[in-house]
Amino acid sequence: GDSVTQMEGPVTLSEEAFLTINCTYTATGYPSLFWYVQYPGEGLQLLLKATKADDKGSNKGFEATYRKETTSFHLEKGSVQVSDSAVYFCALGWGGLTGGGNKLTFGTGTQLKVEL
Amino acid sequence: EAGVVQSPRYKIIEKKQPVAFWCNPISGHNTLYWYLQNLGQGPELLIRYENEEAVDDSQLPKDRFSAERLKGVDSTLKIQPAELGDSAVYLCASSLVGGPHNEQFFGPGTRLTVL
């Protein structure tokens, strides 16, 4: 079955540092890939998505590229801020641009802490 | 536009008691999802509704869990009786299948503690 593996956290960075959160997936075929972010006390929010190989999703300075050859979708940001502190979930889905019609398979999440 | 609303936000009960969670999806969204999120884990789908029909309930433990979505809008998830292992966050999400943006929108969740 489908699965998503993320690097374990917490990841602690200083403000303005470069961020990478690794994500790899296992699936038969080519799913859509997503990064969701969960701020304390809030629900999950879609951060970015990619629907086919070599697509790059980007939003709020975050980027991730769908790499079919390595089955990866690593999240990157060039300069993190304290406000980026949250839990980040990598996910895959099927059926539509954002997997809205089918379930999402999530990784375990990576907590990011950004300090001044 | 209001987001997905869930209540209660927190619930503490003793084992063997019943409990119910309520979800109001975004207006016009025809698909509704209930996810279970254990501590330190990603959400896992329990059940998906398209309008009032449960189209995927393969992961719902039917011996103690039940759900309904009357009139294809609000939904209720029930556990009876609750067990210690049911302590988790229960997330509701909704989406508009067939629309230009089929993003799943999540509510804040209900944190259940079973003592």
Side-chain angles (χ1 to χ4, degrees):
Chain A
D2 299 341
S3 67
V4 176
T5 302
Q6 296 182 227
M7 63 187 290
E8 293 188 9
V11 173
T12 303
L13 296 174
S14 298
E15 201 170 42
E16 299 185 1
F18 184 85
L19 168 71
T20 298
I21 300 178
N22 291 336
C23 171
T24 57
Y25 68 89
T26 301
T28 302
Y30 303 107
S32 297
L33 301 174
F34 311 88
W35 277 101
Y36 277 80
V37 58
Q38 187 173 33
Y39 298 102
E42 299 183 15
L44 278 74
Q45 303 172 26
L46 180 64
L47 180 60
L48 53 83
K49 64 183 184 289
T51 58
K52 60 182 186 295
D54 299 326
D55 267 3
K56 177 185 283 188
S58 61
N59 186 27
K60 299 181 181 179
F62 291 89
E63 293 182 340
T65 301
Y66 190 163
R67 300 291 187 194
K68 179 180 65 175
E69 61 277 9
T70 55
T71 62
S72 65
F73 193 55
H74 303 323
L75 182 67
E76 297 182 335
K77 187 175 185 182
S79 176
V80 294
Q81 305 299 312
V82 172
S83 57
D84 294 326
S85 297
V87 181
Y88 292 81
F89 291 92
C90 185
L92 68 82
W94 305 92
L97 289 177
T98 58
N102 288 283
K103 71 176 183 180
L104 295 171
T105 299
F106 287 87
T108 55
T110 302
Q111 184 174 13
L112 170 66
K113 297 180 181 178
V114 181
E115 301 173 335
L116 290 172
Chain B
E1 178 181 317
V4 176
V5 179
Q6 291 187 247
S7 69
R9 291 293 309 275
Y10 304 91
K11 189 72 176 180
I12 300 173
I13 61 171
E14 294 190 347
K15 63 180 180 182
K16 301 185 182 179
Q17 295 300 306
V19 66
F21 315 125
W22 175 80
C23 173
N24 179 242
I26 291 174
S27 177
H29 280 193
N30 52 4
T31 304
L32 184 146
Y33 314 75
W34 283 102
Y35 287 87
L36 166 68
Q37 186 176 18
N38 286 305
L39 185 65
Q41 301 295 316
E44 299 175 8
L45 182 72
L46 288 172
I47 189 168
R48 174 169 66 94
Y49 283 92
E50 287 186 9
N51 299 305
E52 32 318 311
E53 181 183 359
V55 296
D56 183 357
D57 63 355
S58 57
Q59 301 303 310
L60 189 72
K62 298 180 182 66
D63 56 335
R64 297 184 300 108
F65 286 66
S66 64
E68 61 182 10
R69 191 184 184 199
L70 300 177
K71 301 181 180 179
V73 181
D74 294 1
S75 178
T76 303
L77 178 68
K78 298 179 181 178
I79 308 175
Q80 183 170 9
E83 297 179 352
L84 295 176
D86 296 331
S87 296
V89 176
Y90 292 83
L91 296 169
C92 180
S94 70
S95 68
L96 178 61
V97 177
H101 302 289
N102 289 346
E103 175 181 344
Q104 290 189 29
F105 293 83
F106 285 80
T110 296
R111 182 176 297 277
L112 173 66
T113 301
V114 182
L115 303 175

